[in-house]
Amino acid sequence: MITQSIFERARKEPQRVAFIENDVPLTYAAFAGRIGTVRRHLESLRLPTDGFAGVLAASFLEQWVVTLALRSLGINTFSISDVKMLNELKIRNVGLIAVSQALAQDFSRTPPEGGARVVSIPQGLFDPGGVDEALPDAIGAPAEGGFLIWSSGTTGVHKKVFHTGSAYETYTAWAIEAFAYDRNTIYQALNFPLWTGLGGGLVPPVWAAGGCVVTHWKDNPFAAYFRHQPTLGMLAPVMLPLLLAATPETSPLQKNFVLQSGGGFLPLAVAKELVRRVTPHVQVIYGSSETASILRSQFKNPDDLHWLTEHVSRYEIADETGNVCPAGIEGEIRVPLQDFDCHGYLDDEEASTKFFRDGCFYPGDMGVRREDGRIRVLGRVDDVLNMGGWKIAVGPIEDAIARSVGSRSVCLFREQDARGNEEVLVAIELDRLPSEQEIKTVLAGRPGFDRFRIAVLKSFPRTQGGMTKVDRLALKKMLD
């Protein structure tokens, strides 16, 4: 149990720092004391242990305290930002909403749909004066509660991933090995919400290993990114220019810091600048919240931005009949499922059938394996364009255009012009209008790309997930 691990660490190393939020450190003893105090309060209320409990609190610390207290009682949890998000999720069997007292008025004005019981957590239970520092010897629940995370991905629909408490123990062991967590780990969680994989899924294993988690959600979080000497951080490519902008040219290199980038293609120019100004340890990763699996590479040359290696994981490239593709043949990426992986989406049979089948999870991306075993992600299956009879994975082409014009993101869509002729819509996230010749140079010689039009936006719509992916559905609607 993750809560038991925190309590044990508090006994062994009570003054070791477990959490730093907005520059305020919290020791394992103080962290465990808050969890224990809130747990005893919740236990006295005789809460229902079946179904789900939503958690809404005024800070990440308060959210984690309430979440871990509930999970230690065997209650499954999920995090929300407000009543609107709760209603949008449409989670069945929500029996309880635990709200910190500072935010309880939100629920009094707009009651949640479904009639869930709302429990207000007195603010004093989070403050030092209200904490009972005595730590119980054992957690009484027969099994730890699970947790729910979700993302809208690029589909516009929340995909809800539920991990049981028992499965999470095995996942924790995998995460500690995959990300090399230990007692010296300082994980920079920035301001990623608990409902994301980065803010919720990867955080508890840090505490299980005895490490420290840093969050910062006030002012400009990137300005404080390295203030507490983190050893690991994960950012989407769209966030990296913000980190660079907040890092002075005169700042020393963070030689003990590993920066992992995922959720999109990392531009070569950005990668080089990160190595020059931030850290020599820049990695490209590919993974998902549904499974314990990642592809990874250490950036040393341009090849490493695209060709990744299976790390404590197993991936396959499958053709349309479900057979494994030989090296050099494009197909759909899939991950053979392990017992502790998610095996379907909560309350979504249609999506579960589409993405979980034949004992595998299909994340919805195209890929190709090289002779040396390394894998390249080519883009979304749904984004493959059928141009003049050619099926074309758009990922590498979008990346090439982005590098050529210096764009943050590029999306390609198939459409018809006023005369009904097939053409490619090149959507570019940029502050200037690139020339038609710049695009022609990249598309030259590619079958089906002889006709195109350019649309430029200063910013693309993005999803709510931790990696803030481009919301391609919303973008296409804006451009139609």
Side-chain angles (χ1 to χ4, degrees):
M1 294 176 65
I2 181 59
T3 310
Q4 188 66 47
S5 297
I6 293 171
F7 281 30
E8 290 172 357
R9 183 68 57 180
R11 293 189 194 91
K12 294 176 182 178
E13 300 179 275
Q15 297 310 306
R16 190 169 190 81
V17 176
F19 207 128
I20 302 175
E21 181 172 47
N22 294 330
D23 301 325
V24 179
L26 192 73
T27 65
Y28 269 91
F31 192 26
R34 283 162 173 75
I35 295 169
T37 297
V38 172
R39 182 185 190 275
R40 284 186 284 274
H41 171 74
L42 293 172
E43 192 173 27
S44 70
L45 301 179
R46 301 185 180 278
L47 303 174
T49 57
D50 58 333
F52 286 90
V55 178
L56 175 62
S59 69
F60 287 124
L61 172 60
E62 292 180 7
Q63 283 192 321
W64 273 117
V65 166
V66 177
T67 293
L68 293 173
L70 286 166
R71 286 175 61 181
S72 74
L73 293 170
I75 299 174
N76 300 324
T77 66
F78 63 92
S79 175
I80 53 176
S81 61
D82 51 34
V83 181
K84 179 183 177 183
M85 175 177 283
L86 171 65
N87 294 335
E88 287 178 350
L89 284 170
K90 300 186 183 304
I91 300 172
R92 302 170 191 163
N93 198 20
V94 177
L96 171 70
I97 305 296
V99 189
S100 61
Q101 192 173 23
L103 301 178
Q105 287 185 351
D106 291 348
F107 280 85
S108 63
R109 290 193 297 265
T110 310
E113 297 174 1
R117 178 182 175 186
V118 178
V119 174
S120 176
I121 312 296
Q123 203 64 33
L125 298 185
F126 299 110
D127 300 329
V131 173
D132 181 356
E133 297 291 350
L135 304 177
D137 293 329
I139 298 295
E144 187 172 60
F147 74 102
L148 187 68
I149 58 178
W150 65 86
S151 71
S152 54
T154 56
T155 65
V157 178
H158 291 300
K159 293 184 291 187
K160 294 166 283 191
V161 180
F162 176 60
H163 294 276
T164 65
S166 57
Y168 196 69
E169 292 300 300
T170 313
Y171 171 83
T172 295
W174 172 84
I176 289 174
E177 179 182 4
F179 297 100
Y181 290 158
D182 60 25
R183 63 192 299 276
N184 296 313
T185 295
I186 303 176
Y187 174 53
Q188 175 54 272
L190 200 63
N191 54 3
F192 293 119
L194 272 68
W195 61 78
T196 66
L198 298 183
L202 293 179
V203 166
V206 176
W207 292 320
C212 173
V213 175
V214 180
T215 64
H216 199 101
W217 46 272
K218 288 184 177 180
D219 305 319
N220 177 6
F222 290 103
Y225 198 82
F226 294 112
R227 189 172 295 163
H228 302 285
Q229 289 79 53
T231 61
L232 176 66
M234 302 181 193
L235 295 173
V238 70
M239 302 173 183
L240 296 174
L242 300 175
L243 178 63
L244 287 169
T247 304
E249 284 275 359
T250 55
S251 296
L253 275 178
Q254 304 291 322
K255 295 183 178 180
N256 297 319
F257 175 69
V258 176
L259 177 59
Q260 297 185 330
S261 176
F265 293 103
L266 174 58
L268 177 60
V270 175
K272 287 182 176 180
E273 195 70 0
L274 289 168
V275 170
R276 185 179 76 85
R277 292 176 47 199
V278 178
T279 174
H281 310 295
V282 175
Q283 296 180 353
V284 178
I285 62 169
Y286 170 87
S288 64
S289 301
E290 290 85 348
T291 64
S293 57
I294 56 172
L295 297 172
R296 189 177 75 180
S297 74
Q298 174 78 32
F299 172 64
K300 295 179 180 178
N301 57 62
D303 215 34
D304 298 322
L305 297 179
H306 306 294
W307 294 97
L308 313 181
T309 302
E310 293 154 300
H311 182 65
V312 199
S313 308
R314 179 185 164 204
Y315 282 77
E316 295 176 347
I317 309 297
D319 62 21
E320 293 179 350
T321 65
N323 294 319
V324 176
C325 295
I329 302 300
E330 297 179 5
E332 188 170 0
I333 295 175
R334 70 184 182 192
V335 184
L337 291 169
Q338 305 175 80
D339 289 342
F340 59 94
D341 286 328
C342 175
H343 283 65
Y345 294 119
L346 184 71
D347 301 336
D348 195 336
E349 184 176 346
E350 181 179 350
S352 297
T353 302
K354 178 180 179 181
F355 294 102
F356 296 86
R357 57 184 192 273
D358 304 322
C360 294
F361 169 63
Y362 289 77
D365 291 309
M366 297 290 291
V368 62
R369 188 186 292 273
R370 221 163 50 176
E371 289 287 352
D372 62 3
R374 297 177 79 177
I375 293 174
R376 180 170 186 173
V377 181
L378 300 174
R380 301 293 294 171
V381 172
D382 292 341
D383 299 332
V384 170
L385 300 184
N386 191 334
M387 303 299 297
W390 295 84
K391 288 187 176 180
I392 304 168
V394 299
I397 305 173
E398 293 174 343
D399 181 48
I401 295 174
R403 283 189 281 111
S404 176
V405 303
S407 168
R408 293 179 290 276
S409 297
V410 172
C411 291
L412 301 182
F413 302 100
R414 177 181 177 273
E415 65 176 12
Q416 291 182 333
D417 63 17
R419 297 182 178 181
N421 296 315
E422 189 177 72
E423 68 176 6
V424 176
L425 169 59
V426 183
I428 302 175
E429 188 178 31
L430 197 61
D431 294 328
R432 66 176 180 88
L433 180 64
S435 70
E436 187 173 307
Q437 186 58 47
E438 288 180 279
I439 310 302
K440 279 185 176 180
T441 301
V442 177
L443 299 181
R446 300 180 187 271
F449 283 82
D450 53 317
R451 300 176 61 88
F452 65 88
R453 75 176 178 96
I454 303 171
V456 176
L457 294 176
K458 289 187 177 181
S459 61
F460 283 175
R462 297 186 178 273
T463 65
Q464 296 183 55
M467 286 302 187
T468 60
K469 298 177 183 178
V470 174
D471 189 333
R472 299 179 78 102
L473 290 177
L475 175 60
K476 187 63 169 64
K477 289 180 180 177
M478 291 173 62
L479 298 173
D480 282 344

